[in-house]
């Protein structure tokens, strides 16, 4: 089975993430997409990251009825900080029957050269790229391991959603209803 891995903090998960995952699972050669909840991205500041298990639960709530999208907590069990190459190596050893691929935005493709062992990633894994505003022509876009997709362009961000919640603005339709109920029940991002 070909499994695409969409890594993220999912702080919180929103419809943009789900549209990307759904597109990749249904409009590419991937069979399934796993949303990999990352405890901490080594290239980002810790900032206002909420509890990892709350982010994991929101991702599970959002994908509860999905047939070919699921949530992975693999990075919660690995040493921190978590590097993509280490997670890929772990998954390859744990699930030798599967073929893993990366899903990333064109912004990340542009900074892939900063990642730990990025040349190994390019050598050993397919990378499916979705467009991000302002990052149309990434340097590695023509690499044989890279597939640029026609995923709908999304300008929705978790930062926007957190800010909106903090300002007591309505975020209905930006996040799935079960996720919104969870956020409200725990007074997250207030």
């Amino acid at each position: 089975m070909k499994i695409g891995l969409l890594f993220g903090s999912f702080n919180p998960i929103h419809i943009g993430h789900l549209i990307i995952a759904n597109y990749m699972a249904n409009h590419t050669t991937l069979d399934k997409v796993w949303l990999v909840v990352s405890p901490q991205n080594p290239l980002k500041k810790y900032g206002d990251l909420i509890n990892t298990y709350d982010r994991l639960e929101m991702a599970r709530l959002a994908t509860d009825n999905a047939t070919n999208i699921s949530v992975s907590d693999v990075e919660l069990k690995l040493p921190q900080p978590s590097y993509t190459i280490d997670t890929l190596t772990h998954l390859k050893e744990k699930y030798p029957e599967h073929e893993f691929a990366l899903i990333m935005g064109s912004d990340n493709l542009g900074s892939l050269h900063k990642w730990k062992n990025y040349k190994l990633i390019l050598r050993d894994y397919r990378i499916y790229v979705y467009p991000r505003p302002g990052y149309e022509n990434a340097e590695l876009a023509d690499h044989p391991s890279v597939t640029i997709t026609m995923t709908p362009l999304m300008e929705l961000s978790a930062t926007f959603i957190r800010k909106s919640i903090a300002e007591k603005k309505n975020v209905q339709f930006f996040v799935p209803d079960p996720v919104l109920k969870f956020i409200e029940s725990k007074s997250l991002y207030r």
Side-chain angles (χ1 to χ4, degrees):
M1 188 179 307
K2 274 181 92 170
I3 299 171
L5 304 171
L6 179 57
F7 290 79
S9 57
F10 302 107
N11 186 36
I13 191 165
H14 54 72
I15 61 157
H17 296 126
L18 299 172
I19 288 169
I20 291 164
N22 186 62
Y23 180 92
M24 294 294 177
N26 292 290
H27 298 276
T28 67
T29 59
L30 297 171
D31 299 307
K32 287 191 84 154
V33 171
W34 290 359
L35 303 176
V36 181
V37 178
S38 299
Q40 174 60 42
N41 180 331
L43 295 177
K44 289 185 179 178
K45 291 181 181 175
Y46 193 75
D48 52 1
L49 205 56
I50 65 163
N51 178 296
T52 303
Y53 294 98
D54 284 342
R55 292 184 286 119
L56 187 65
E57 181 60 20
M58 286 188 286
R60 287 185 174 141
L61 288 167
T63 58
D64 195 33
N65 295 322
T67 54
N68 50 2
I69 302 168
S70 55
V71 178
S72 172
D73 64 355
V74 64
E75 288 204 333
L76 278 60
K77 300 167 184 165
L78 297 175
Q80 302 302 310
S82 47
Y83 293 96
T84 302
I85 188 64
D86 298 335
T87 305
L88 289 166
T89 302
H90 173 79
L91 287 170
K92 201 176 201 179
E93 289 170 1
K94 188 170 180 178
Y95 302 102
E97 71 277 15
H98 296 317
E99 181 183 332
F100 292 98
L102 276 177
I103 299 169
M104 68 174 61
S106 53
D107 55 334
N108 281 325
L109 184 63
S111 64
L112 187 63
H113 64 279
K114 297 178 183 176
W115 292 25
K116 177 182 176 185
N117 296 343
Y118 81 96
K119 289 181 181 176
L120 284 178
I121 294 172
L122 283 167
R123 186 191 76 190
D124 296 341
Y125 299 92
R126 297 254 356 119
I127 301 175
Y128 292 82
V129 179
Y130 57 89
R132 293 292 299 259
Y135 296 93
E136 285 76 30
N137 297 315
E139 181 180 317
L140 294 167
D142 294 328
H143 193 281
S145 295
V146 173
T147 301
I148 305 295
T149 68
M150 300 299 292
T151 309
L153 187 63
M154 297 296 303
E155 293 197 43
L156 181 61
S157 72
T159 302
F160 167 79
I161 292 168
R162 290 191 306 272
K163 186 175 187 265
S164 297
I165 292 169
E167 294 171 355
K168 297 182 172 46
K169 293 182 179 169
N170 186 334
V171 295
Q172 183 182 20
F173 307 119
F174 294 138
V175 296
D177 287 340
V179 173
L180 185 56
K181 286 178 184 153
F182 184 84
I183 289 169
E184 290 171 347
S185 75
K186 297 195 96 180
S187 296
L188 299 175
Y189 309 115
R190 296 260 178 226

